[in-house]
Amino acid sequence: MVEKLDAEARTALARDLPDWVMADDRDAITRTFRFADFNAAWGFMARVALLAEKQDHHPEWSNVWNRVEITLSTHDAGGLSVRDVMLARAIDALTG
């Protein structure tokens, strides 16, 4: 079973993943991405889907035209885990 992040790892989130914020209503991180248009947003989602499949860890997300909102939390752990941090880093690497 995957364990939740400890206090030290949580403190490092702001430094290591500065564009991600803690969700207001649960133990999760979230980020909004904006693109030039729907096509660019959908292409980004396709690339994230491939990363998620490779890591066997799938995001919660939504898409409205040029905006993609992603929330990461590990259901098996009951909150944030190292799996969320790893996927967030991989997603960030897609955007440069």
Side-chain angles (χ1 to χ4, degrees), residues 24-73:
D24 290 332
D25 57 346
R26 57 193 273 221
D27 192 22
I29 54 175
T30 187
R31 181 173 175 190
T32 299
F33 297 85
R34 294 192 187 278
F35 300 92
D37 54 28
F38 178 77
N39 188 47
W42 191 262
F44 168 75
M45 290 179 74
R47 291 187 301 279
V48 170
L50 294 172
L51 288 173
E53 278 297 301
K54 197 179 256 188
Q55 293 187 19
D56 191 30
H57 188 56
H58 304 94
E60 297 174 29
W61 57 7
S62 66
N63 164 243
V64 177
W65 190 59
N66 71 333
R67 187 179 74 237
V68 177
E69 295 179 10
I70 299 178
T71 300
L72 300 174
S73 185

Side-chain angles (χ1 to χ4, degrees), residues 2-14 16-17 22 27-29 72 74 77-86 89:
V2 181
E3 296 195 18
K4 290 172 80 169
L5 291 180
D6 62 23
E8 184 178 332
R10 286 171 182 277
T11 301
L13 286 175
D16 296 341
L17 298 170
M22 293 298 298
D27 192 22
I29 54 175
L72 300 174
T74 304
L80 282 173
S81 78
V82 67
R83 297 184 80 191
D84 302 306
V85 173
M86 290 172 52
R89 285 182 182 148

